[in-house]
């Protein structure tokens, strides 16, 4: 896996906004407001990073970018080189949190609230101990 990738995104300007696609990465799309080029670049970076992360997770080969001179662009399209630093994308994707609902006896929940206990942290710590995981890199949400 490489740490950095750069692909050409095609920004297609339409009346309702900017449509973003990557010719070398079918299925990798994003969009932005019509006059929001900075938003379009940020959205393109996010789409590119998540798409490549998904390909890595699925064991797919990441293609080599097509040279700009080989692209055929429509009249209302411009090419934009989008780069992404994958270590930060990988870390964000692997340390994102999911909400789990659990049930506690009412008296226990009330006591935990009274003592200002961070139930998410305690649940995470208990689950890690139960699964034999020694990982202190992720932190609990408040």
């Amino acid at each position: 896996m490489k740490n950095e990738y750069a692909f050409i995104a095609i920004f297609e300007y339409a009346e309702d906004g900017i449509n973003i696609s990557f010719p070398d990465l079918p299925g990798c799309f994003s969009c932005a407001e019509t006059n929001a080029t900075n938003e379009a670049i940020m959205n393109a970076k996010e789409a590119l990073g998540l798409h490549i992360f998904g390909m890595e997770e699925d064991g797919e080969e990441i293609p080599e970018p097509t040279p700009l001179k080989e692209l055929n662009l429509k009249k209302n399209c411009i090419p934009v080189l989008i780069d992404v630093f994958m270590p930060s994308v990988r870390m964000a994707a692997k340390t994102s949190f999911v909400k789990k609902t659990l049930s506690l006896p009412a008296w226990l929940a009330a006591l935990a609230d009274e003592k200002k206990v961070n139930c998410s942290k305690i649940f995470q710590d208990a689950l890690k101990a139960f699964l034999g995981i020694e990982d202190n890199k992720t932190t609990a949400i408040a």
Side-chain angles (χ1 to χ4, degrees):
M1 290 189 298
K2 291 172 38 178
N3 284 333
E4 296 180 50
Y5 290 94
F7 283 89
I8 295 173
I10 305 301
F11 285 21
E12 181 178 4
Y13 289 82
E15 288 182 22
D16 62 342
I18 303 170
N19 298 312
I20 304 164
S21 63
F22 290 84
D24 296 313
L25 302 168
C28 186
F29 299 101
S30 192
C31 61
E33 298 287 328
T34 303
N35 295 320
T37 304
N38 285 340
E39 177 188 353
I41 291 169
M42 294 304 295
N43 291 353
K45 282 181 174 276
E46 180 180 30
L48 178 60
L50 292 174
H51 192 84
I52 290 175
F53 176 76
M55 292 178 74
E56 289 176 346
E57 289 290 297
D58 293 342
E60 296 179 34
E61 185 176 331
I62 311 297
E64 288 297 317
T66 300
L68 179 59
K69 65 183 178 182
E70 293 180 18
L71 294 175
N72 295 317
L73 302 175
K74 293 190 283 184
K75 181 179 174 185
N76 58 339
C77 295
I78 62 165
V80 179
L81 184 64
I82 302 295
D83 64 331
V84 65
F85 184 65
M86 291 306 296
S88 58
V89 173
R90 292 178 193 118
M91 181 180 294
K94 291 183 178 184
T95 60
S96 63
F97 287 87
V98 295
K99 187 172 183 94
K100 292 286 189 181
T101 303
L102 59 110
S103 298
L104 299 173
W107 67 267
L108 187 56
L111 184 58
D113 288 344
E114 181 182 313
K115 301 284 186 180
K116 298 185 180 354
V117 172
N118 183 336
C119 290
S120 290
K121 171 123 177 62
I122 289 177
F123 178 69
Q124 287 178 48
D125 291 345
L127 191 56
K128 287 177 185 177
F130 181 80
L131 297 172
I133 298 171
E134 293 182 27
D135 175 32
N136 296 324
K137 293 180 182 176
T138 58
T139 58
I141 55 175

